[in-house]
Amino acid sequence: MKKTQWFDFQNFFYKPSLTSSIKPRPFTAYSFVPFSPLAMLDPTILTIGGIVLGIAIIERILERWGVIDLVDQFSKIMRFILPVTFYGALFYFFATFML
């Protein structure tokens, strides 16, 4: 016959365990993305993108209103501004990028 072991309620619940029941396992994680996509939420890049998007929306509104000569002026300016803004923002992103 087995001998029964008795415990007090307080000793059972408040006695610290000598051995951990959870064994740590080695875990290796691999990332295929070299940087976080949240890094694109930089306020400077968002501001520049918002300005360019705003100019494009204004151009579309002016086109609907029928002010074609002003739309032509906007499109001439945007042909220069868009590539400069894009490459400037790209350079800024990689210049301030921290690994």
Side-chain angles (χ1 to χ4, degrees):
M1 227 177 172
K2 283 188 175 181
K3 186 176 181 182
T4 307
Q5 188 175 6
W6 290 94
F7 291 106
D8 254 7
F9 180 76
Q10 285 183 340
N11 288 340
F12 180 74
F13 276 103
Y14 298 112
K15 184 178 178 184
S17 176
L18 299 176
T19 60
S20 175
S21 61
I22 301 172
K23 295 179 182 177
R25 290 181 286 173
F27 180 75
T28 54
Y30 298 101
S31 175
F32 296 107
V33 180
F35 60 88
S36 171
L38 296 177
M40 293 298 286
L41 296 177
D42 185 27
T44 305
I45 292 178
L46 289 177
T47 303
I48 292 171
I51 290 170
V52 171
L53 186 64
I55 291 173
I57 290 172
I58 289 172
E59 184 179 352
R60 292 294 172 200
I61 290 172
L62 289 174
E63 186 180 4
R64 280 194 183 163
W65 286 352
V67 192
I68 301 300
D69 55 339
L70 199 54
V71 172
D72 282 342
Q73 294 298 324
F74 265 106
S75 66
K76 287 178 186 175
I77 292 171
M78 292 300 280
R79 278 189 204 140
F80 174 73
I81 289 179
L82 282 176
V84 170
T85 305
F86 172 74
Y87 288 117
L90 194 65
F91 176 76
Y92 173 79
F93 174 72
F94 285 114
T96 59
F97 178 62
M98 303 284 256
L99 285 176

